[in-house]
Amino acid sequence: MHVLKTREQAQRIALLGSYLAEFQIEKLMQDVLGGYQRALGEADAERQAQVWRHLETTERTLSEQFKLFVLEFAKVAEPQARLSRLPLALPFVSQYFPASTLDLRKLLSVHAHGIALAAQNSPDQPLKSKAFTLSAELMLMQHSCHWFCRSKTVASARLLARHKTAYAQVLASVTPSTRQAYLKLTGN
């Protein structure tokens, strides 16, 4: 069973990786998240404003690239894009129990909309609030990718280990429209 699970996970990683390889999404995510830390840690107001302005371009580029990635990944056949709603990875769940799965293509579409919405520059939204929300959107999207490749439990553990943030906290921090669509799709 372990061998079959490992083989299936390797196929999923290769599939997702083959589509992500065409884009700079991971690098842009690191730039945005690191930039937020720099901006929030900057004592000089002028320098902080400069960092925020620079991040606008990176946020836009990230949002655009993620939209293009979602359009490309939409070409994946539905059976290959299925991920198990079960907390642990079990081989062949998507083949034999499709009712217990969800479509990653639809989930990625929810993330693309959420990232685009959070990346917009609204004059009435404070930059710190925007950074908080977009960071949560990016972390939830990353969680979904890890969930597809491994399992929901592993994805949640990675989120906690990498970002020191619990899955429930990330879900509570995304835009209300993302949270509602995500919960509807995942059945949580």
Side-chain angles (χ1 to χ4, degrees), residues 4 7-9 23 40 98 116 120 162 175 178 180 183:
L4 294 173
R7 187 177 301 151
E8 189 174 90
Q9 288 176 343
F23 303 95
L40 294 171
Q120 289 177 351
R162 244 185 217 172
T175 62
T178 297
Q180 182 181 7
L183 292 173

Side-chain angles (χ1 to χ4, degrees), residues 104-148:
L104 180 65
R105 298 170 306 173
K106 292 178 182 176
L107 196 55
L108 291 175
S109 182
V110 167
H111 292 309
H113 177 73
I115 290 167
L117 189 63
Q120 289 177 351
N121 290 317
S122 175
D124 60 329
Q125 183 182 27
L127 292 172
K128 288 180 184 180
S129 176
K130 174 187 175 183
F132 182 78
T133 303
L134 185 53
S135 295
E137 293 282 350
L138 294 173
M139 288 180 199
L140 187 61
M141 177 272 296
Q142 191 175 48
H143 180 275
S144 295
C145 291
H146 288 148
W147 183 359
F148 175 74

Side-chain angles (χ1 to χ4, degrees), residues 37 39 44 65 68 79 82 88 90-91 112-113 115 125 127-128 132-133 149 154 161-162 164 174 176 178 184-186:
Q37 290 177 345
D44 179 38
Q65 284 214 3
L68 292 173
R82 291 236 156 251
L88 299 174
L90 297 172
H113 177 73
I115 290 167
Q125 183 182 27
L127 292 172
K128 288 180 184 180
F132 182 78
T133 303
C149 292
V154 170
R162 244 185 217 172
K164 310 290 186 264
V174 296
T178 297
K184 182 179 179 184
L185 194 57
T186 59

Side-chain angles (χ1 to χ4, degrees), residues 4 27 31 53 58 68 81 94 100 112 114-115 134 155 158 168 171 186:
L4 294 173
K27 182 195 178 312
D31 292 349
R53 279 192 303 276
T58 310
L68 292 173
S94 61
S100 69
I115 290 167
L134 185 53
R158 283 185 174 180
L171 193 54
T186 59

Side-chain angles (χ1 to χ4, degrees), residues 5-6 10 12 28 32 36 40 50-51 55 78 82 93 111 115-116 134 145 161 182 187:
K5 177 190 77 162
T6 303
R12 290 171 176 274
L28 291 166
V32 166
Y36 290 158
L40 294 171
Q50 200 175 36
V51 174
L55 284 170
E78 190 262 343
R82 291 236 156 251
V93 167
H111 292 309
I115 290 167
L134 185 53
C145 291
Y182 180 90

